[in-house]
Amino acid sequence: MSEVTINSKLDQITIESIEKVARQVYDKINRLSKPVMDFPVRSLQNVKYDTRRGYFEMGRHKKQRTLTVNTVKTFAQTLRMMALSKELVVTNDFATKRDAYYQSKNWGEAMFHEQDESDTVMDDIEAMFSLHGVSREELRFLPEEHGGAVGGELIVYDRDRETGETIEIDCTRFGSGAYSIPKRVDHLGFKTSAKFILAIETGGVFDRLQYHKFWKKMNCIIIGMGGVPSRACRRFVRRLSDEMKIPVYAFVDCDPYGISNIYRTLKVGSGNAAHINQFFCVPQARYLGVTPEDIRRYKLPTHPLKDVDIKRARDALKNDPFFHVHKKWADAMEDLINMGVRAEQQALAKWGLNFVIDEYLPAKIANPGQFLP
Amino acid sequence: MNPVEQQDSGPAAEARGRNPADAATLSLFGEPAGETSRAAARGKSAPASAKAPPAKPASGKAPAKNGKAAAPDRPGKAESKGAGKPGKSISKPPAREKAAEAPAKTARGKGKPPSPADAAPGSKPADAPKRTRTAPPAQEELEQAAPPKPVKGARKRVTAHEMAANQREISISEFFTKNRHLLGFDNPIKSLLTTVKEAVDNSLDACEEAGILPSIKIEIDPGAAEDRFRITVTDNGPGIVRQQIPKIFGKLLYGSKFHRLKQSRGQQGIGISAAGMYGQLTTGQPVDVVSRTGDKQPAHHFVVQMDMVKNNPVILKDETIEWKDGEDLLAKPIPHGTRVSIELQGLYRGGRQSVEGYVEQTAIANPHARFSYRNPRGETFEYERAANELPPEAREIKPHPHGVELGILIKKLESTDARNMRGFLSNDFSRVSPRAAEEICKAAGVSPDSQPKKVRREGAEALYQAINKTKLMAPPTNCLSPIGEEQLMAGLRQQVKADFYTARTRPPSVYRGNPFLVEVALAYGGEQPADELIQLVRFANRVPLLYQQSACAVYKSAVQVAWKNYQLQQSKGALPSGPLTLAVHIASVWVPFTSESKEAIAHYPEIIKEMKLAMQECGRELGIYLRKQRRMADEMKKRGYIEKYIPHIGESLEQILKLGKPERERTEENLHEVLSRSRKM
């Protein structure tokens, strides 16, 4: 696989999109008609589960916000925010939500008084530009959540902001630490010979695998998600998998939360943020474990399911298209509810601390056909 | 219980009469028993006196032994607790009323002044038992005559004789001293206000009755000591004839308003003389009065002191003077009017519940009056007339049978000139036709031809019940004199600077046989604080009520109205908040106050209903106004909006699209055009 260079055309696309929207507004005004901005309709009616692509997708419905007396303030703020975004792209900088909120303090009457207001405008812009295929990260509005950790034989290509030089990051060379996924990943390039990506829920298991260089043994890349994977983490896994053409296996706790929140979010995204799922889901991900079947086979120590867990599971079975599409998952969830217990990844430590490395994972990986979809 | 005191008080009064010297020195807690006993003697009053059997020797003995001749032929009126109860449940309430009324009715300014020398605290023997009101000589006597004292340790029993010794008449002044809070003299601040209020109420009543547009000057000057003030109230009223001056100002319960049913401010004839008494009690200073009844008449100057024991005026000065307005010798002589000046102990404070607040509110409810007020700091406030017409005169009516209480009924039965019941019912009450009178008599089981005095003794209670069971026409309501919507608003406008005013006068209604009507006016906006509860201003017969707001029917009504419907904020169970003054006036021939100090109106459902209706009617007007205001404000805000945010849109587009200045300006102009096109006021 040839070395992939950094995608610097992205910024050009971003700037063009911003200018396109602004130009439409400008033209409308000067034709003496009310300017309009298009937003995807973000209600659940406009969210579809695309079985072919395997994730939630925004429907075609759009709503238009017309510039009227009542919307003039939001309109002004939206344009201000877009101007800020353009400036960030041009200067190759970024702003968190909080940064953007404070930036608005220079806008006179158009300033935000609470961060909630600026977050709402930012969400609107994100939705609007999702129609143009531009993510929030490309608009340089970065989230503050932690990205995720990477270990394994992987070279990441990044760019030095000051010199513009390409930097090679060797993910094997972090010693007892790990490479931390940056907030913005779309410009990154990759090189690897690994055979698969293992996405791990808990920091504890990731640390064990990293410490013992599990990736070396199994020739893989391990990623610690730390609970529900962040946007950057999902985008990183997606791009890495897409571009290196390697499969993604998920290794999470066996409980309704691990399955329907962490794994499902990784794989298909969330219904609430359907407009951004196109960037942030990993439809090719498969579920390695821990499965309900594993609980029986490995006689794992369990905890009883709480009422909220059962409720969550039943609710997912009833309403979540993911379970409607994947019959196997519906059965597995049913199975779990009937067992009335849950088991964590680390329950495998019952059979020895490194049982997971020496026995469980190799056995599982030898047999990918057994994975849940 | 033995009705012995009848005898007891007679001799006691007699005895006291022999100690005028003592009376003078110890007069503060004195007891003008003479008045009431004489009233009783004339066969005019208390049931006790009428029914009382001859005195029992046991009690008669006491005074006799003391060497003070008993007067067995003089039936005294039994006033004190217990004694006045001839076993009939009905006699208690009227007893007090009569006690209060009798002197006013019968006062003649002559007669034997009995004195309670022995009742004064200072003269009490050191070994007197704890019950302080004991008349010592009688006590000693009785203790000797009474059964042996109980053994120590056993519960002490008081015999009827011992009790009898403690049972005495209570004088008005004594009653006043103990219960001055009932008349509004509870504390120094309030005393100052009450004095002003009583004087001004009298002035207004007098002016209106005489058909004069009132001009009233109120002056409060610092007195000799820090806690002393001299209050002077001058009016342009009809004046008072010379002979009446001392009695009006030097005698409690002397007046013209008590015996009639007519809408007026004062009712009891107690106010101004109580103020004078308070002044005398606290400073020792007499009341100073100047009055003149016409420009052909001389002005009379009186200095009147009260004999607290006898409830009689003592004239210290009686002279004719040149009475002029102001210090200047060339000042215009005052053609008619009255000036009363009282020095008293008090405390001066500003604020809503002060004299200022009182004058201000009085000016609202009396827009036809002009007030000038000078406070102790020498600052003068002028309240100009807002209307040049006198309110229509209130008419006197006869009581409606449904509003008459049993005690009053009994008294009326006794004092009527009618010879039979038919005449009594149809002539002494309003809305009783001869036919209705017969119906009542039938229901009560008395003959229409029977004598009222006989009925009083035998069938009063049955009659009372029968009256209340009989359907009668509602009382006439033309006796009421409303302030009027226009005038009330004019008054409010004068005192409260606001943006919106409205007023409503409700048609008259009736509670318990008493006609009344409610008026409401409100003033919204201006400089009134927007984030506080509204100001509630209450009036009863044009007199502001400054205290006990939350006990008042006005408050209850205001709380019950859903002001949210009229665009005001309101927490549950509270007054609404907002920049609003709500003035509520109730006019009635008899305003039902919750207490004698006339501070709160009783919660009659009929009254609350009327008040709520009037408030709702005004509220609707306010709601319409406020909604319109809000629409206008929204529109202005939106216009401002456009101006405010267009530059931001221009600037953003300039930044993103790298526009030149002319392009930007053109865009902003066009945007303004686009947005303004859709806005219309």
Side-chain angles (χ1 to χ4, degrees), chain A residues 214-238:
Chain A
F214 175 77
W215 38 267
K216 200 168 192 176
K217 180 178 171 187
M218 299 298 292
N219 191 17
C220 66
I221 298 165
I222 58 171
I223 295 187
M225 299 186 289
V228 176
S230 66
R231 293 156 59 105
C233 182
R234 278 141 67 194
R235 185 73 185 142
F236 185 87
V237 173
R238 167 80 178 276

Side-chain angles (χ1 to χ4, degrees), chain B residues 219-337:
Chain B
E219 293 152 300
I220 305 181
D221 295 305
E226 203 184 323
D227 61 347
R228 282 199 188 183
F229 296 92
R230 173 159 288 279
I231 292 174
T232 308
V233 175
T234 313
D235 67 45
N236 63 341
I240 304 165
V241 296
R242 183 178 166 273
Q243 297 85 334
Q244 293 294 328
I245 293 172
K247 283 182 233 161
I248 286 176
F249 296 97
K251 197 164 164 62
L252 278 186
L253 292 166
Y254 186 88
S256 55
K257 299 168 195 167
F258 187 83
H259 301 100
R260 63 181 192 192
L261 212 46
K262 178 180 173 182
Q263 178 191 334
S264 63
R265 295 172 181 80
Q267 269 164 349
Q268 328 268 34
I270 202 166
I272 190 64
S273 40
M277 179 184 277
Y278 175 80
Q280 194 175 322
L281 276 169
T282 52
T283 67
Q285 294 298 310
V287 181
D288 186 299
V289 185
V290 177
S291 190
R292 184 175 191 185
T293 54
D295 49 8
K296 304 262 162 41
Q297 305 295 321
H300 296 285
H301 178 214
F302 272 87
V303 177
V304 183
Q305 195 166 41
M306 289 177 124
D307 184 331
M308 306 254 187
V309 182
K310 292 175 279 182
N311 184 23
N312 255 342
V314 177
I315 299 163
L316 302 183
K317 190 183 264 179
D318 171 4
E319 60 181 7
T320 304
I321 59 159
E322 280 274 297
W323 187 24
K324 291 187 176 179
D325 188 10
E327 303 294 314
D328 193 328
L329 286 176
L330 295 172
K332 235 171 35 184
I334 293 176
H336 51 79

Side-chain angles (χ1 to χ4, degrees), chain A residues 332-351:
Chain A
M333 196 63 128
E334 216 44 91
D335 190 11
L336 189 63
I337 295 170
N338 290 336
M339 287 162 73
V341 293
R342 61 188 177 87
E344 294 172 2
Q345 294 177 302
Q346 277 156 306
L348 292 161
K350 174 193 172 192
W351 304 109

Side-chain angles (χ1 to χ4, degrees), chain A residues 149 176 178 200 202-213 222 224:
Chain A
S176 44
I200 298 152
T202 59
V205 174
F206 175 83
D207 289 346
R208 175 159 300 281
L209 268 54
Q210 171 79 341
Y211 190 79
H212 291 287
K213 296 205 170 152
I222 58 171

Side-chain angles (χ1 to χ4, degrees), chain A residues 66-282:
Chain A
T66 309
L67 175 47
T68 64
V69 175
N70 289 324
T71 58
V72 64
K73 183 178 182 184
T74 339
F75 229 89
Q77 289 174 327
T78 307
L79 284 167
R80 279 282 191 194
M81 197 75 109
M82 281 164 56
L84 171 64
S85 170
K86 186 186 169 190
E87 192 192 328
L88 292 171
V89 176
V90 170
T91 57
N92 191 14
D93 209 329
F94 74 93
T96 65
K97 282 182 166 181
R98 195 80 182 147
D99 287 337
Y101 162 68
Y102 282 120
Q103 273 284 302
S104 83
K105 297 293 179 191
N106 296 319
W107 300 348
E109 292 99 348
M111 77 160 80
F112 298 111
H113 295 283
E114 295 292 336
Q115 199 192 320
D116 285 356
E117 299 168 27
S118 67
D119 288 358
T120 307
V121 169
M122 197 181 278
D123 290 345
D124 284 346
I125 290 178
E126 178 182 31
M128 176 164 64
F129 282 94
S130 70
L131 295 172
H132 299 259
V134 175
S135 71
R136 173 187 296 198
E137 281 72 11
E138 289 314 304
L139 292 166
R140 305 302 175 106
F141 295 135
L142 300 185
E144 285 172 55
E145 57 190 0
H146 177 70
V150 181
E153 302 217 28
L154 169 69
I155 307 287
V156 177
Y157 295 98
D158 203 342
R159 185 171 47 199
D160 187 294
R161 188 181 173 276
E162 281 166 23
T163 62
E165 234 176 278
T166 301
I167 308 164
E168 270 189 38
I169 300 161
D170 184 347
C171 293
T172 61
R173 298 177 64 81
F174 280 87
S176 44
Y179 173 59
S180 172
I181 300 172
K183 304 290 161 60
R184 186 172 155 257
V185 300
D186 272 280
H187 62 291
L188 299 177
F190 305 109
K191 193 174 100 178
T192 185
S193 58
K195 293 285 178 263
F196 64 92
I197 301 164
L198 184 64
I200 298 152
E201 175 181 340
T202 59
V205 174
F206 175 83
D207 289 346
R208 175 159 300 281
L209 268 54
Q210 171 79 341
Y211 190 79
H212 291 287
K213 296 205 170 152
F214 175 77
W215 38 267
K216 200 168 192 176
K217 180 178 171 187
M218 299 298 292
N219 191 17
C220 66
I221 298 165
I222 58 171
I223 295 187
M225 299 186 289
V228 176
S230 66
R231 293 156 59 105
C233 182
R234 278 141 67 194
R235 185 73 185 142
F236 185 87
V237 173
R238 167 80 178 276
R239 288 199 60 229
L240 185 57
S241 168
D242 279 358
E243 285 174 28
M244 298 293 107
K245 302 202 167 37
I246 48 175
V248 179
Y249 304 144
F251 179 29
V252 302
D253 289 347
C254 183
D255 58 20
Y257 184 74
I259 295 163
S260 73
N261 284 51
I262 296 175
Y263 175 65
R264 181 182 151 289
T265 303
L266 176 71
K267 187 176 168 82
V268 303
S270 75
N272 283 343
H275 57 292
I276 54 168
N277 283 344
Q278 50 171 322
F279 310 110
F280 294 110
C281 63
V282 188

